[in-house]
Every structure is written in structure tokens, then in C-alpha cells.
Amino acid sequence: MFKQKKSIKIFQSFLFPLLLLSVTACGQQSTTPANNSTPAPATTTAPAPSTETKQLTIGIAQFVEHPALDAAREGFISQLAKNGYEKDKQVKIDVQSAQASMDTAIQIAQKFEADKVDLVLAIATPTAQAAAQTSKEIPILFTAVTDPVEAGLVAAMDKPGANVTGTSDMNPVEEQLKLIKEMKADAKSVGIIYSSGEVNSKVQVDAAKAVAGKLGLEIKEAAITSATEVKQAAESMVGKVDAFYVPTDNMVVSSIAAVIGVAEAQKIPVIAGEENSVKSGAIATYGIDYTKLGEQTADMAAKILKGEAKPADMAVEVQADMKLVLNKKAAEKMGVTIPQAMLDRAGQVIE
């Protein structure tokens, strides 16, 4: 009996380790591959790289709506698409108008700064000044700015030096005033209506004064502070001037119909600083094409967006191509006969 119990104990002493090994082996089989190779590390599927290009945002601040500035804006948007930045595809374009209000221009500039747009296009001097004063980091391009140095936008035309550059619409004032003498040889005085709040307008008035003497002309000024004053300013010059000269003053050009109305009633010829004013009823201009100016600015924008250039190093550009534009119907209404020599050399004649 004792020997039997001892045998059982010996058997149990061998059996227990075997059972333990068996259990351990079963537990290992649940995690070890059948071929006993080293387990592969756990993996996660990496997301496929994105092929989409981030949509950029351009803020366009326009001081006021009138044909010249509208043409610059549309030329910019159209040419930008040709450079690979099509509206609502590669780029979102946010167009804002200041409605001839400097306060609104500042608010627009602040909006673009808060939105962190990729580039700002400022059309006309007041909006360019507002943008430049508000943002020191966002690239800013201006267009339809007569004298960017005088306006405090750039340090120099060839080396702007900061985050602002663009295209100037400085018009050939002397050549434009010569058109008055060519159509009306006995003209002695020219009336200029301009906005006292626009630096670009004062620059043009000063330029007119500088050359008027050698052309045998006297400049008479009428400064305004709002578009509602344009008609009254024109009427105040009746009987005192032999012709009107309308510079590229945004406030005056936006209300040029008022000047044209007085001029037609009083038979006073009107010479303009740009061709869209001629299309609106002035007789003549010798100047730039604002659509092309906008296109020129878009080419500059494309270089900035592609990282090929920085505003600080991009010289302010001007338009080399000028053309004579005449409006025969307007001349008839103002009692003027356009000389054949002018018609022969005109780049465009509006019948």
C-alpha cells in the first residue's frame, strides 16, 4: 500500500511539469506563426500623398467703379488666368470697392489682413495707401497709381524696398495738353477739376502747371472733396476757360458725365487723361490702355505667387505703348472740328 502511494506521487511529479509545458505551448501557438518565423511588426496604411494644390486667395481693393479702373481689374483677372491662376479654380478672388471712401478703403485693407490673403491688388492710389499702411507682410501690388514715390508706396521706382510694388499710370500730361492747342489754336486757359484728397491728382495738376507756360496756356483749378461737387465745379469755370482737362482723378472720372454735360452745353472741348473717358464723351486723349496695364500687373503677380520674385526687388513698371484716341461725335457736340492730321495718326477713332 505504501509502495502504491509512492508510485502515484512519483507519477504525479512527472505529469505536472508535462501538463504545464503543454499549456504553455498552446498559448504560444496563438501568437506564433506556424513556420516558427519571427512575427512581422504591426503596420498601418499611410495616407496617399495629396495631389491637390492649395487654392490661393487674392484680395482686390478698388477705390471706386469707373471704366478705367474696371478695365484694369478685368485685365488683371484675365491675364492671371493665362498665367495659371484661374478664378475659382487655382485662386479665389475677393473683390471689394471702397466707393470713393478712404475710411472704407482702410476697412477693406484690414479685412484682407485678417483673412491672411496671399496677395493684395490695390487699384488706385487711396486703396494702395490703405493696404500699404495696414499690412507689412502680405505682398501688395498696385495699379493705376500715378506717382507711387510721392504717394509713399515705394522708396524708389527701380527698388521699392518693401512688400509693395506695381504699375504706374502716369500719363503724358504735356502731350495731352498739346492736343488742346492742336484742336483750338487760340485756346488760352484750361480748367482742371481734381480731388484735393488724391495725391495722384495733385501730381498731375503740378505737371500741367509746369508745362502750360511754354504751350501758351494758363491753368485754372477747381478742387473738390466729393463726386457731388463735380458739376458745380465745372459750371464755376464757364466763361473763364477755353477747354477742360480731366486728369486720371478717380472721383472726377467717376462723375465725368457731369463735366461732359456742361462742356456740351457751353461748347467747351474736353481733353482727358485716359481713353475710357474719351469713350464716355471727351474728345481726345493720348495715353495708356488700362486693360493692358492690368495685364502687366498680373504678370508681376504671377512671379510673386510662384516664388520667382519679391515685391521689394521688383521695379515699378510703366506702360510704354501710348496711343491717340479721338471721339468725333463728342467733338461735334462741343463745336470742335478735329484736324485731319490728328485723325490720320490716331490709334483709335470713335465715330
Side-chain angles (χ1 to χ4, degrees):
M1 187 70 178
F2 173 76
K3 287 183 179 180
Q4 186 178 10
K5 289 181 179 179
K6 185 175 181 182
S7 298
I8 292 171
K9 286 183 179 179
I10 294 172
F11 176 75
Q12 288 176 338
S13 66
F14 280 104
L15 179 62
F16 180 76
L18 288 173
L19 289 172
L20 184 63
L21 286 172
S22 176
V23 170
T24 304
C26 290
Q28 287 177 340
Q29 285 178 357
S30 65
T31 58
T32 304
N35 60 4
N36 293 323
S37 61
T38 304
T43 60
T44 57
T45 304
S50 175
T51 58
E52 293 184 5
T53 302
K54 172 182 175 287
Q55 187 183 50
L56 301 175
T57 301
I58 293 178
I60 297 182
Q62 184 169 324
F63 186 56
V64 68
E65 285 88 4
H66 63 66
L69 299 189
D70 294 346
R73 183 191 68 235
E74 292 308 314
F76 177 86
I77 294 173
S78 174
Q79 186 69 12
L80 202 62
K82 293 178 182 178
N83 277 284
Y85 296 96
E86 190 173 351
K87 181 181 178 182
D88 296 329
K89 290 187 178 180
Q90 294 84 6
V91 65
K92 175 185 175 183
I93 298 179
D94 183 2
V95 180
Q96 300 286 332
S97 172
Q99 299 297 329
S101 166
M102 193 63 195
D103 288 340
T104 305
I106 293 171
Q107 291 172 7
I108 293 170
Q110 291 171 341
K111 175 186 185 299
F112 290 159
E113 173 73 4
D115 291 346
K116 299 186 184 304
V117 300
D118 296 287
L119 183 141
V120 170
L121 172 67
I123 306 177
T125 302
T127 42
Q129 290 174 319
Q133 290 165 9
T134 301
S135 178
K136 304 302 179 184
E137 300 295 332
I138 296 173
I140 298 170
L141 280 175
F142 56 75
T143 190
V145 170
T146 303
D147 190 337
V149 177
E150 183 69 22
L153 297 172
V154 297
M157 294 286 281
D158 60 337
K159 196 79 170 176
N163 62 317
V164 184
T165 189
T167 55
S168 168
D169 66 348
M170 184 63 186
N171 47 318
V173 176
E174 182 174 356
E175 284 74 11
Q176 291 171 347
L177 292 180
K178 284 180 180 178
L179 298 176
I180 295 173
K181 297 294 287 188
E182 194 169 356
M183 287 189 296
K184 195 172 181 179
D186 60 347
K188 296 277 192 287
S189 58
V190 179
I192 303 180
I193 304 168
Y194 72 98
S195 170
S196 59
E198 288 196 37
V199 174
N200 63 305
S201 302
K202 192 67 170 65
V203 167
Q204 292 173 79
V205 173
D206 290 343
K209 287 179 178 178
V211 300
K214 66 180 180 180
L215 297 177
L217 295 170
E218 178 187 2
I219 302 299
K220 294 186 182 295
E221 307 168 44
I224 62 166
T225 58
S226 71
T228 58
E229 299 172 12
V230 172
K231 182 178 180 181
Q232 183 179 355
E235 291 173 339
S236 72
M237 291 186 171
V238 173
K240 301 175 184 177
V241 299
D242 299 310
F244 285 118
Y245 173 61
V246 179
T248 55
D249 180 295
N250 296 293
M251 202 170 287
V252 178
V253 172
S254 68
S255 300
I256 195 170
V259 180
I260 299 300
V262 173
E264 289 177 351
Q266 301 297 326
K267 305 301 179 188
I268 303 172
V270 177
I271 303 301
E274 52 83 32
E275 70 170 272
N276 288 286
S277 292
V278 177
K279 294 175 181 178
S280 296
I283 296 176
T285 192
Y286 179 71
I288 66 174
D289 183 324
Y290 275 81
T291 299
K292 290 183 178 179
L293 193 69
E295 293 171 352
Q296 196 171 341
T297 315
D299 289 337
M300 297 177 73
K303 292 178 182 178
I304 293 172
L305 294 173
K306 291 175 182 177
E308 297 174 357
K310 295 181 179 180
D313 304 318
M314 300 177 75
V316 175
E317 296 185 12
V318 296
Q319 194 172 120
D321 298 331
M322 303 277 180
K323 69 176 179 179
L324 175 62
V325 182
L326 302 172
N327 187 327
K328 290 180 70 175
K329 186 177 291 185
E332 292 172 7
K333 291 180 179 179
M334 296 174 193
V336 175
T337 299
I338 301 176
Q340 188 59 45
M342 290 181 71
L343 292 169
D344 291 342
R345 72 174 193 274
Q348 181 180 1
V349 178
I350 301 168
E351 300 288 346

